[in-house]
Amino acid sequence: MSPLLELQGVSVAIAHAQLLDGISLRLDRGQILGLVGESGSGKSLTAMAAMGLLPLIGGRVTTGAIRFDGQDMVQMTEAQRRALRGRRIGFITQNPMTALDPVQRIGAQIDVVSRLHLGLSSAAARARTLELMTQLRIPEAGAVAEAWPHQLSGGMKQRIVIAMALAGEPDLIIADEPTTALDVTVQAQIIQILAALVRDRGLALLLITHDMGVVAQVCDRVAVLYAGRLAEERPVDPIFAAPAHPYTRALTLCIPRDDTARGALHGIPGAVPTALNYPSGCRFHPRCPKAVSACSATQPALVAYGEDGRVACHLPGPGAP
Amino acid sequence: MTAAARPAPAVLRAFRRPVGALAGAWLLLVIAAAIFAPLLSPYEYDIQTLKEAYQPPSAAHWLGTDEFGRDLLTRLMYGARTSLSVSAIAILISVLCGMTLGAAAGYFGGRFDRLVTVVVDLTWSFPEILIALILVAIIGPGTTGVLVAISVAYLAQFTRLTRAQIMTLKGETFIEAARSLGAGSGHILFRHLLPNALAPVLVSAMLATGDAIILEATLGFFGLGAQPPTPSWGSMMSAGSALLFKSPGIILFPGLAVAITVIAINLFGDALIAALDIRSRMRPPQ
Amino acid sequence: MSQPLIRVEGLSRRFDTGGGFLKAPRSMWAVRDVSLAVGQGEVLGVVGESGCGKSTLARLVLRLIEPTSGRVLLDGTDLTTLGAADLRAARRRMAMVFQDPYSSLDPRYTVADVVTEPFVVQRRPVPPGAVAEMLEAVGLPASAAAGYPHQLSGGQRQRVGIARALALHPEFLVLDEPTASLDVSIQAQIIELLSGLRDRLGLTYLFISHDLGLVRYFCDRIVVMYLGAVVEVLPDTTTAPRHPYTRALMDSSFSPDPAQRRTLAPLAGEIPSPFALPAGCAFADRCPRADARCLAERPPLDGDPAHPTACFHPL
Amino acid sequence: MLAYAIRRSLMLVPVFLAVSVIIFLILHFIPGDPIDNLLKVGSSPTARAEIEARYGLDKPLPVQYLIWLGNVLTGDLGTAIVARRPVIDLIGQALPHSLALGGLALAFSSIVGITLGVIAALNRDRWPDRAIMGGVLVGSTMPSFWLGLMMMLAFSVWLGWFPVSGARGWSSLVLPVLTIGLGGTALVTRITRVSMIEVAQKDFVTLLHAKGLSPLRIQLRHVLRHALIPVVTILALRIGWILGGAVTVEVVFARPGLGTLLIKALAQHDYPVVQASLLMLAMAVMIGTLLGDLLQAAMDPRVRAALA
């Protein structure tokens, strides 16, 4: 079976800055792919590319293919891409506080998706909206549908955004940091809802997050981005047990666990470079504890690693530096 | 302090943009013409030579002559003196008073702020020309009257803008940080708030000078500005309106001078805004 | 616990809003009757979700906002009654590091201006070599001094903020979510830095955070707040929580370890509006253990003095 | 909403009182005694006192104010000193002309300004944007009296399309409306454009695109709706501008109206007429801001919530 979403060597530029460089990803139905990396690594840009929304931010795909269900979105007309958005691909943004149109009632914002893509009448669309809201455990769905966005809490708004993403009966959901702006206890609720959607409906979920905890708990596979390039892409268990790329390893060591001893927390020295000053060779080499001269000279190729995994590193594999 | 050192390069950076350079060059030209008018022109602005009246543009009189046979270009240059200096001085007074009022209201808040806000909002919703007309009526026509009228007419705008800037800046964490170090009101106002509020206020003062030139011209047109024989761009047109059909140049050229100068001020202001990167802070306060 | 450097007694703060023309005013208690002590050299963590009052508490402790009632004692001196001159003198002994590394530095100040501002404000001469020394202490090169904040990364800016806080050699630092706006990789750098500075300079910290995992890593004791009040004080980082809210907070954070994968049982509902607090326990409507008493009566913070809990039905 | 509308309207009462005090006081600072105009040279002091008493000018200022306010509230605006006619008649004659001119100019600026602003925003940084914004800049920098005279020269004198001046028929309105409207158009175009561009960058617009809605529908049904909120606010706040423009333009085109009335009365120091015309203009400004606030509340549920 071909993957539902496949990125093959996708490069993206905004103006003259090459911000993504040869990203390749695969996501099957019923799976959750976690996309992680520090800010500035290109996570959100990847999401915008997969949504076909790059023109909104002045970007374009320069090389590569983005295949959704076998068809290359890069080669499609804008109308064809638009027919996919909302219908087969749902989108969840980071900040639910700003994601809804503040001057339109909640219900109408969800209705429009099923009316547009499923051709439902307004009454049928509203019935479907209420059903979705109830499934997402929104209390008093009828009243909430008539409410204005500012009357809802952050967690409730994020559920509305999820309902909007589900209204077109999509196969794929792309969620860009869906919990970052929420309180801790509400984050857990939203993640649980998303995980249940994949389990119960057989959706595919591209989950962009900086939270390695969320990744460890719900993802099937993990793709690690660094400075616009893919560092490592593997199933979740081995990547946490034995990270192949030093960057992945560094990311897991940043977060305190219950058993982390005082002083055992390690930051990554320096900061993510911007597109204007990407280093030569492996872009991580100035911050890498294992770097050797080859790392600054040549860009490591993305090669197969372990079981069903790929890594781009001259010195892959576990082992402390 | 670095605060004083930074605006100067911004002016130069504004000159580096093609539009900014063109607009800036025109403004420099007008200012130079105003300052050096006696040196540049072989004519006097006030000597009447009635037999040379109503001449069309020629080699001797590049823009022609007016109803008293005076050279129009010469009068335009002398007129620039009045129009530019009255507008600029009036706006300067207005900015100084407006910044003081706005900063005090924005920083100290409370009842004083509410009073200032109510009065300023009320004045702001009245057209500048009305305020100016009434004030000139109180003070009497002439340069002083126009100067005061323009200052007062724009007071509300600068008070509003400064207050809005101070209110926004007050919420910045670096103000709280300064307070946590033990800083008093003086330090916070003069070392943090005002230096940061300065750039948008000064740029908007520059743009307002353009509006003030138009206002000065309008008052002059009503015969309330500089009194004859002193020319100002406005008063030149006041005389000209009756002669519109006979000799359009008398009113055409001063009007063009106003329009082109104001356009130049706007374009240069725009270049300054871009150079200072303060576009988002220049929005009209709502 | 050693001799407390900071003692907070019955601190409360009410905020009033609205009350315009023909409009009813509303008021909320951002901080309700909070008492706590921070020992010399201790790191006390305050953890809670948005609206729990932790940031207000931080500002009350430094008297950046005035309390409605209660006292804050620094080494026995009541900060809440000090006059302007005495308060300014007291500010040499305490400082704050802020959450937002972008808005906490004046964009018109150079890094050197920022770190010498404490001296200017306190009308003291800047000791020669102090700038380079301060920058070195926070891991920045001396060459950074001439730069402007916008030329620095978020982590570097936060280091400048820490250098400013340390300029006058204070004993006590309030850290208000100093890493919440940073990437985890940078967060760990800053935490390491703060940890090292504390060991080297014998500092006392009040560490405000929403991240229980981070607080448990970094702090000696942990105060858990919910809607303006303290619900539990954990005496160390290993003691099991007794308040259901603390438990829920712990269960809501995800362990970065797939081996510890578990089915989540997140807390239902969301934080109620602080303008309409229930009569009883503020947590009652989300609490799995709540009964009629919890709805009617507010539980006091008591029990074991080393591990007080505000709950009628502790775990 | 209704409760808010009532409350907001009630707020006009103190504002009206404040404005009336200011207007009343301002007039007492104007030098030049209208009585002099009424007296024959060499009249006796008794004749002067008689006239002062007739116009109530001999009483203390607060009493004069209260009498004046009471009269105003009962529709009696006094008698014009120079014209020797009830001021209400003069206002009644002038007002319809000014309302027609101001209303048409407002409509013109709104419709043309919003249209141009939308076109400019949709073509951001391309030639239609540059052309429109260039035109707007030029239009907003010309003194309106001068623009009026030049249009008169071009369209009335040279082309003979419209009457040179006066207020006979619709065709006489075209040039004055255009003259005032161009300045307002510049303002509306600028605000519409900036606010369309700003709104288009908001998160919720990205999400509308992600829902698969067509870009034109997003721009016109969602972005424009938001962009109009500040436009309405500014238009309402600056209704005075349009009226101010009317003052000069009425004089240039020799049209009857509040502006002409005011300018003439100012020159003649005719207190009651000046007071009444200023009061009319002030009321127009107040009603403008009221309408703006109500419109804003109608357009934005957050505003309603904040005010409830």
Side-chain angles (χ1 to χ4, degrees), chain A residues 38-39 183 185 189 267-268, chain C residues 49-50 183 185 189 192 267 270:
Chain A
E38 291 165 277
S39 24
D183 266 320
T185 52
Q189 296 168 6
I268 308 176
Chain C
E49 294 176 277
S50 60
D183 267 312
S185 56
Q189 289 176 12
E192 283 174 80
L267 205 51
E270 289 184 53

Side-chain angles (χ1 to χ4, degrees), chain B residues 265-279:
Chain B
I265 288 177
N266 274 280
L267 291 177
F268 192 73
D270 220 46
L272 258 184
I273 291 173
L276 286 163
D277 196 19
I278 50 171
R279 190 166 308 278

Side-chain angles (χ1 to χ4, degrees), chain A residues 26 81 91 133 151 176 178-179 181 193 196 198 212 226 247 253 266 268 279 297 308 314 320-321:
Chain A
R26 261 187 53 187
R81 278 195 291 266
F91 191 49
M133 289 168 74
Q151 294 167 322
D176 187 0
T179 61
I193 288 174
V198 175
M212 293 300 269
Y226 185 78
Y247 180 58
L253 290 177
H266 293 289
I268 308 176
D308 195 16
H314 289 305

Side-chain angles (χ1 to χ4, degrees), chain A residues 103-209:
Chain A
V103 304
Q104 205 183 8
R105 290 181 197 273
I106 295 291
Q109 303 197 35
I110 307 176
D111 294 348
V112 67
V113 179
S114 49
R115 285 170 56 191
L116 180 74
H117 292 296
L118 307 180
L120 298 188
S121 67
S122 6
R126 178 50 60 91
R128 178 168 164 70
T129 295
L130 295 179
E131 188 192 317
L132 272 172
M133 289 168 74
T134 315
Q135 284 168 13
L136 292 172
R137 282 189 261 141
I138 295 169
E140 299 175 69
V144 172
E146 288 304 314
W148 300 100
H150 70 262
Q151 294 167 322
L152 304 188
S153 66
M156 208 50 83
K157 275 188 206 161
Q158 197 60 307
R159 285 169 206 238
I160 301 298
V161 174
I162 294 174
M164 255 159 49
L166 290 175
E169 291 180 349
D171 306 290
L172 167 68
I173 291 204
I174 297 177
D176 187 0
E177 306 256 11
T179 61
T180 307
L182 302 172
D183 266 320
V184 184
T185 52
V186 184
Q187 283 185 12
Q189 296 168 6
I190 297 296
I191 289 296
Q192 192 194 33
I193 288 174
L194 290 175
L197 287 176
V198 175
R199 197 179 54 234
D200 301 344
R201 299 179 183 232
L203 295 174
L205 174 65
L206 178 61
L207 180 64
I208 292 163
T209 179

Side-chain angles (χ1 to χ4, degrees), chain C residues 16 23 34 45 56 74 88 110 144 158-160 163 171 200 202 232 282 297 305:
Chain C
D16 300 311
K23 222 171 126 182
V34 169
T56 307
L74 170 69
R88 188 167 70 225
T110 62
Q158 202 56 299
R159 287 171 190 267
V160 174
E171 303 145 67
R200 201 143 51 80
E232 180 166 14
E297 208 180 313

Side-chain angles (χ1 to χ4, degrees), chain A residues 38-39 153 155-156 183-185 189 192 213 216-217 219 236-237 240 254 256 258 261-265 267-270, chain C residues 49-50 183 185-186 188-189 192 210 216-220 252 254-258 261-262 264 266-267 269-271 286:
Chain A
E38 291 165 277
S39 24
S153 66
M156 208 50 83
D183 266 320
V184 184
T185 52
Q189 296 168 6
Q192 192 194 33
Q217 293 295 323
C219 291
V236 69
D237 287 314
F240 276 90
C254 290
D258 289 349
R262 278 269 169 90
L265 197 62
I268 308 176
Chain C
E49 294 176 277
S50 60
D183 267 312
S185 56
I186 312 298
Q189 289 176 12
E192 283 174 80
H210 67 277
R216 293 219 299 171
Y217 170 77
F218 185 56
C219 301
D220 300 317
S252 297
F254 302 94
S255 164
D257 183 356
R261 205 177 274 188
R262 58 186 143 84
L264 282 165
L267 205 51
E270 289 184 53
I271 302 162
R286 298 175 75 189

Side-chain angles (χ1 to χ4, degrees), chain D residues 178-199:
Chain D
L178 274 180
T179 309
I180 307 172
L182 280 181
T185 303
L187 182 72
V188 175
T189 308
R190 280 203 190 113
I191 302 170
T192 308
R193 175 182 177 272
V194 169
S195 106
M196 287 275 292
I197 289 173
E198 236 169 54
V199 174

